[in-house]
Structure formats: structure tokens, C-alpha cells
Amino acid sequence: MQSVQDLAAAVQRVIRNVESVIVGKAEAVTFTLIAVICRGHVLIEDVPGVGKTVLTKSIARSIGCSFKRIQFTPDLLPSDITGVSIYNQKTGNFEFRPGPIMAQIVLADEVNRATPKTQSALLEAMEESQITVDGRSYPLPEPFMVMATQNPIEYEGTFPLPEAQLDRFMMNISLGYPSPADEINILNSQQHHHPLEDLQQIMTAEELLEIQKQIRAIHVDQSIREYIVAITNATRHHGNIYLGASPRGSLALFRAAQALAAIRGRSYVIPDDVKMMVKPTLAHRIIVTPAARVRSVTSSAILDEILQTVPVPGAWVGGGKAR
């Protein structure tokens, strides 16, 4: 087993490799890699053309994983995702023809454009790492990750993801528009050809699986565990929140903090790791009350407020030291 410092160096090489294509989005790239090494799935909500597909392709190529893209449309069927059993006249048997979900990195593009029945075809794959076709279960390849995208501006002809499906995404991130300087760098880098064409593989899928196992061993002190639970519990009793974060949210925050600590070269989690991962792991799990939405109160703003009020382990508060 490699040391935490070697693990951090390996992941940082992947991050730098992806950043050679995705310019000026270091935080989004880091968060996405954290989800990858935590065996999580990512929902990217952003406008078209900011690099969502390129980010997914860059990560898949950097870690040596197979990649498939599914364009979700209203007429997409569940079998278009999972695959179908076709009768072979020569052998007299049904043969399974796998769908695009049988890849290691799957991009579900504009996932909210498909019907709920088709969206539900992703649930078993995301939660159980398997699919069921005609009563038979087929395991998905390892590692396996779904990166779904949706446009937060255009809602005509879409089917919003239900809370149960949103909760299965470990993180919800946004790339946003690049700065003017970064956009000039994008123009320069793509003048003759796309930098994705020259992207090299940095890590093998086998090495990634080993890192995924090693992340689980990162130490989390009891006070940090209580801090994580206190944050998620605060979302369940806040006046502006209709539905708070689930225990799955606590676990996502726990795992993400472990991964961030490892990427930073530490074998233990500190409160700053937890704070950094609160919004990407919890914001999409919170439903704000209608009255708060009218006042333009967002889940991110509420989480900022919660972080200000929940005591930090080891901090000096009112002359005494918090646990």
C-alpha cells in the first residue's frame, strides 16, 4: 500500500492533467476527482458550452477508464440505457446486448429531459452497481461513475429529478463561465486542435481501485464525526428548510472529507476539510421552503449560516474550548 503522500501526488498529477484541458476550474476538477475516488456520482448543473462533457472525457482518459455518453431525450427508453436481449436464430438463444451504461465513466447528458421511467433506469445502476434486464442481473464494470448534466435555465419540456434521485448524487457542482483571461487561454489552446486530443493517461483503473480502498482508512476523529452529524442535523431543524439532508448526505460529507484530506497529503481529517465539502455534498439534498424561495434564500446561503452557528471541534468559543 502506498503512503498518503504518494496517493496525494498521484491524484494531483491527474488533477493537473485534467486542468490542461479544463482551464481555470481547479475547484470543480478537484471536487469531481474526489467523487471518483469516493465511488460517488456527480450532477453538474450549468449552462451549455462551459465544458461539462469535456471535463468528463478528460477524467475518463486521464484514469484509463472506458467512456460512454447518453443524450437524454423525451423518447429515450430504459432499454436504450441498460441494453436488450436479442434472439439469435442460429443458436436459438437470447443474447444480451449491453447498453451504454456498461462503461466505467458514463455521461448522462441533460438527464432531466428524459421521462421519469427512463430516469429511474439509472437508479439501480447508481446505487447497486448493476442492471437487471429480463430478470437477469449484470454487474457494472469497476470503477463505475455517472456524471449527469442538466441546464438550470431552460425548463420547458423537462422532467425535474425527484428528491430520491437527487439524493443518489454524491455531489452537485457548477463550472460557471471562465474569466476573460481564462477564456483567452481557451481560444489560444484550441486555435489549431483540441488539447483533449493530446491528453495522456496518468493512472490506470487498477490504481484507482486501490486508491478508492485506501481512502477509507483515513482517520476521522470522533469530534469530527459529531461535527458532520451536527451540520446535517441542523439542516433538518432550520426554519427556512422544508426537507433537510438525509443520512446519505452525512455519509457523503464524511467520505468527501476523507478524500480531501488524502489529496492534501494528510492521513486524518480536520474541520476545514468538512467545511470545504459541505456545499457540494449537501446543497442539492436540501429543499428550501416556498416562503424562503420568495425571499431568494438559497440552500447554499443557509449552509453558510449553519457553518457559522455549529461549533467547530477544537475552537475556542466564549472563553472555553469546544469539543
Side-chain angles (χ1 to χ4, degrees):
M1 180 181 293
Q2 61 183 342
S3 67
V4 175
Q5 286 72 27
D6 291 337
L7 184 155
V11 176
Q12 290 294 343
R13 284 196 295 272
V14 175
I15 291 175
R16 287 194 297 271
N17 198 51
V18 175
E19 285 180 339
S20 67
V21 178
I22 305 296
V23 180
K25 301 298 176 185
E27 185 177 83
V29 172
T30 301
F31 286 168
T32 308
L33 258 297
I34 286 174
V36 171
I37 62 179
C38 289
R39 304 172 187 262
H41 309 287
V42 176
L43 176 64
I44 307 177
E45 288 188 285
D46 225 321
V47 296
V50 293
K52 301 184 291 293
T53 301
V54 175
L55 171 62
T56 310
K57 284 184 176 180
S58 301
I59 290 175
R61 187 169 296 185
S62 296
I63 60 180
C65 290
S66 58
F67 170 81
K68 292 288 185 182
R69 178 179 180 270
I70 307 171
Q71 181 63 53
F72 279 65
T73 56
D75 60 349
L76 190 74
L77 298 175
S79 59
D80 295 329
I81 296 173
T82 58
V84 293
S85 294
I86 298 177
Y87 182 72
N88 188 324
Q89 290 183 334
K90 290 184 179 180
T91 62
N93 296 319
F94 282 92
E95 296 178 353
F96 175 62
R97 301 290 176 87
I101 197 69
M102 299 294 283
Q104 292 170 312
I105 305 290
V106 177
L107 174 64
D109 210 0
E110 295 187 291
V111 66
N112 57 331
R113 291 202 172 277
T115 61
K117 181 179 181 180
T118 302
Q119 290 174 1
S120 66
L122 279 177
L123 292 182
E124 182 186 15
M126 291 171 61
E127 191 67 18
E128 306 294 337
S129 293
Q130 67 174 23
I131 57 172
T132 302
V133 178
D134 295 334
R136 285 192 60 185
S137 295
Y138 300 89
L140 295 171
E142 289 190 339
F144 174 73
M145 177 190 189
V146 172
M147 289 186 66
T149 72
Q150 61 179 10
N151 185 344
I153 305 300
E154 186 179 0
Y155 289 105
E156 185 177 350
T158 63
F159 302 87
L161 295 176
E163 283 69 36
Q165 191 160 338
L166 281 173
D167 201 41
R168 282 172 168 80
F169 288 98
M170 181 181 188
M171 291 191 201
N172 182 2
I173 65 173
S174 175
L175 293 176
Y177 289 116
S179 67
D182 288 333
E183 198 159 358
I184 291 173
N185 289 334
I186 292 172
L187 298 180
N188 294 336
S189 65
Q190 297 189 27
Q191 180 173 348
H192 299 292
H193 68 283
H194 201 290
L196 185 62
E197 299 172 8
D198 300 327
L199 200 65
Q200 300 296 315
Q201 179 179 335
I202 301 299
M203 183 185 296
T204 65
E206 291 72 24
E207 289 172 334
L208 175 60
L209 289 172
E210 188 59 38
I211 288 175
Q212 289 178 340
K213 295 177 183 176
Q214 193 172 347
I215 287 296
R216 302 290 179 97
I218 298 296
H219 176 70
V220 184
D221 188 75
Q222 180 65 24
S223 62
I224 301 293
R225 296 169 191 257
E226 292 172 358
Y227 182 51
I228 291 171
V229 172
I231 291 171
T232 54
N233 193 53
T235 66
R236 301 164 192 161
H237 300 93
H238 195 282
N240 288 331
I241 296 178
Y242 174 73
L243 180 68
S246 66
R248 189 186 279 126
S250 299
L251 189 58
L253 180 55
F254 180 86
R255 297 287 186 219
Q258 283 182 305
L260 182 60
I263 289 176
R264 290 175 169 176
R266 280 184 277 102
S267 59
Y268 54 90
V269 175
I270 62 174
D272 283 349
D273 298 326
V274 177
K275 289 180 178 180
M276 184 80 171
M277 302 311 304
V278 163
K279 288 183 183 179
T281 58
L282 298 185
H284 64 291
R285 305 173 196 271
I286 293 173
I287 298 179
V288 180
T289 62
R293 282 201 301 270
V294 169
R295 303 195 309 272
S296 299
V297 176
T298 64
S299 56
S300 293
I302 295 173
L303 287 172
D304 281 331
E305 179 188 331
I306 288 173
L307 288 175
Q308 292 293 325
T309 56
V310 175
V312 179
W316 289 88
V317 181
K321 191 176 184 180
R323 287 191 62 198

